[in-house]
Amino acid sequence: MKKLVVANHKANLSMSDIGDYIFNINTNLSDKHNIVICPSYIHIPFFTSEKFELGAQDVSIYDNGSYTGEVTSEQLKSSNVKYVIVGHSERRELFDEKENIIKLKLKQCFKNDLIPILCVGETKDDKLSNRTSQVLRRTLLETLNGFSKEDLSKLVIAYEPIWSIGTGITPTIKEIEEIISFIKDIIRSAYKVDVKVLYGGSVKEENIDKLKEVGNLDGLLIGGASNNAITFSKIVDLF
Ligand code: PEP
């Protein structure tokens, strides 16, 4: 069955890289899985292809209006964007995004029919002090509380252990499997919906064989390795 593979370019690639990137994606990307590419906002209009859907890396908490520097859900929707990454650990950490802001962003996504990819994960400290399940449960319940079942049924979760992002270190197959089940169980029992859960954190060609073994995985969220279209296409093929 096709899975969902999401590319997060973060603040990478220049306008001069985009032509080659799109050419290489169009040449190399297979239809083995469903693909979402989340480029920088300024590159979004150039990413038109039948081979993937478009995602954004963030969204404003505001509706259209006098909010200098912001990009709204309505603007994203009108730019053919279908998915939005919400609550990425880099935004939580570097921009001090807390649950109240993340909730407002989810609200904006649901309002304009955008599919949020909500990122959750534990820090290295949480993991070393055996607090992973406690942290995930609290984050999920605080963030998702108050949304309708209909909205939540559209949600995608990305489990991204913070200690794995960009470090080359990944959890074991068993750890990923257990945490994905745990996340799915929490959401099923609290909100009566089944959600897709992706894994993100140092996904590379070298560990894709291992990640393929994770039985309950619905897809991947790939940062660094998605900035090269040929590498990204290869990972999609190997997954
Ligand atoms: C990410 O930032 O969402 C991510 C998964 O990054 P990387 O693949 O580079 O670890």
Side-chain angles (χ1 to χ4, degrees):
M1 207 175 80
K2 282 193 180 192
K3 298 194 174 184
L4 184 65
V5 183
V6 181
N8 175 12
H9 287 175
K10 312 193 186 191
N12 290 303
L13 302 176
S14 293
M15 207 53 92
S16 56
D17 302 318
I18 296 304
D20 277 354
Y21 191 97
I22 292 171
F23 174 81
N24 284 328
I25 278 285
N26 280 328
T27 314
N28 294 286
L29 191 65
S30 70
D31 64 356
K32 190 168 174 195
H33 296 294
N34 297 316
I35 307 300
V36 176
I37 298 187
C38 306
S40 293
Y41 285 141
I42 54 167
H43 299 150
I44 283 176
F46 302 98
F47 277 78
T48 50
S49 167
E50 312 249 294
K51 293 205 160 194
F52 55 82
E53 295 201 283
L54 259 174
Q57 299 173 22
D58 192 20
V59 64
S60 177
I61 61 171
Y62 298 108
D63 291 332
N64 287 2
S66 302
Y67 303 104
T68 303
E70 291 291 272
V71 176
T72 67
S73 58
E74 200 181 319
Q75 291 176 312
L76 293 175
K77 184 73 186 169
S78 68
S79 305
N80 214 20
V81 166
K82 300 277 188 307
Y83 291 79
V84 180
I85 297 173
V86 177
H88 191 282
S89 60
E90 286 155 11
R91 296 215 58 88
R92 291 178 193 259
E93 211 175 297
L94 303 171
F95 302 93
D96 203 27
E97 270 188 22
K98 300 275 188 286
E99 302 311 327
N100 59 331
I101 295 294
I102 292 168
K103 270 180 111 84
L104 291 172
K105 293 187 173 186
L106 290 176
K107 220 181 219 175
Q108 283 292 337
C109 289
F110 293 135
K111 185 168 151 185
N112 274 299
D113 232 356
L114 297 164
I115 301 170
I117 303 169
L118 174 67
C119 300
V120 293
E122 78 284 6
T123 62
K124 191 173 176 189
D125 264 6
D126 294 330
K127 182 175 166 60
L128 294 177
S129 3
N130 287 321
R131 284 195 307 257
T132 300
S133 37
Q134 186 189 327
V135 166
L136 292 176
R137 178 190 297 278
R138 186 185 37 76
T139 311
L140 287 166
L141 294 179
E142 269 181 26
T143 313
L144 301 179
N145 192 31
F147 288 103
S148 70
K149 193 174 160 184
E150 194 197 340
D151 281 343
L152 292 180
S153 63
K154 296 170 201 146
L155 181 74
V156 174
I157 303 277
Y159 168 56
E160 299 211 302
I162 297 166
W163 50 271
S164 174
I165 295 178
T167 61
I169 307 164
T170 52
T172 64
I173 298 173
K174 189 163 170 275
E175 282 172 326
I176 299 176
E177 250 165 16
E178 282 175 3
I179 291 175
I180 287 180
S181 291
F182 178 74
I183 291 172
K184 290 185 176 191
D185 285 350
I186 288 181
I187 296 179
R188 196 177 297 125
S189 70
Y191 307 108
K192 314 282 175 280
V193 290
D194 290 317
V195 291
K196 281 197 175 82
V197 182
L198 317 180
Y199 168 77
S202 295
V203 176
K204 297 183 192 318
E205 274 176 76
E206 296 77 35
N207 54 30
I208 202 72
D209 275 351
K210 165 175 138 177
L211 293 167
K212 263 173 84 161
E213 299 302 314
V214 180
N216 52 3
L217 187 59
D218 298 309
L220 301 169
L221 174 48
I222 306 177
S226 73
N227 283 308
N228 180 309
I230 297 173
T231 306
F232 178 67
S233 305
K234 217 178 269 173
I235 293 175
V236 171
D237 266 343
L238 294 171
F239 184 47

